Amino acid sequence: MLFCDEFTNYYDVSVGIDAFELLSKLGYEVVVVDHEESGRAYISKGFLEEAKAIANKNVNTFKGIISVETPLIGIEPSAILTFRDEYLRLADDSASAEKLAKNCLTIEEFFKKEIIAGKIRSEQFSEEERQIKIHGHCHQKSLSSIEATFAMLNVPKNSVVSIYNSGCCGMAGSFGYEKEHYDISMQMGEDTLFPKIRSTAPTTAIAAAGTSCRHQIFDGTNRKAQHPVSILKNFLK
């Protein structure tokens, strides 16, 4: 089951298409059902009653169809990880929320799991040589792992992957879009991330799972970062 979050649905549609096509071409049956948004935007602004209503609807939608065999896979880290964090406290049906949380994965976590199981293999991808740098999403660092992204992008035989030793990009959801936070947002990006991206060779792909990270990187450095699924899709034979 693929969770089509609000960011993918409205702003990064091509990433959702890439995820669907990548999984399908690797032999997975990808299903998307009608569901609510994640509620991440409401939570970030403190509208918890609205977020609670969304959590209850999503738990009710997915509780009967998500399992170990049929996980719920998310593209945007901050959206799918809401199921593993805030929903546990917001949802009225706490037992179903806890069961659902155990089977909600970022798409990178799903790939790592399937790679370890031998279901996704290097020979399914081209042997093109490619340098890839990963910028870790803060939410993902906190509740998941950038190591899963590293494992995913290392599947192609001749990809050379490394992780930027950097802090927050500065966008932090909608924080950097707000006029009063713009200067500090850009200062955060300039602290470690932006200089490292500027010194990255133009031929090196930059991977960033978060939509806010990708926008901030482009605005701050004029470099286009891609979601890991889009990068990996380009390696498909």
Side-chain angles (χ1 to χ4, degrees), residues 1-8 35 37-40 58 62 66 71-88 97 100-110 137 139-140 143-144 209 227:
M1 302 295 296
L2 188 64
F3 185 74
C4 186
D5 61 84
E6 52 270 39
F7 307 101
T8 302
H35 59 73
E37 61 188 81
S38 70
R40 169 53 50 199
N58 275 330
F62 290 112
I66 298 303
L72 184 62
I73 301 169
I75 298 167
E76 165 62 38
S78 65
I80 192 65
L81 292 172
T82 305
F83 284 81
R84 297 225 300 253
D85 188 14
E86 289 90 349
Y87 278 22
L88 299 179
L100 178 59
K102 293 176 182 177
N103 297 302
C104 291
L105 307 172
T106 66
I107 196 163
E108 296 96 327
E109 290 172 334
F110 176 77
H137 186 288
H139 217 113
Q140 198 170 8
L143 296 175
S144 177
H227 194 286

Side-chain angles (χ1 to χ4, degrees), residues 25 35 42 44 52 60 109 171 210 222 224:
K25 289 178 180 178
H35 59 73
Y42 284 115
S44 71
K52 180 181 179 69
N60 188 59
E109 290 172 334
M171 182 58 75
N222 206 34
K224 185 177 180 180

Side-chain angles (χ1 to χ4, degrees), residues 108-122:
E108 296 96 327
E109 290 172 334
F110 176 77
F111 267 83
K112 180 185 175 183
K113 176 173 169 285
E114 297 298 280
I115 291 164
I116 292 171
K119 296 177 181 178
I120 296 176
R121 306 174 304 280
S122 294

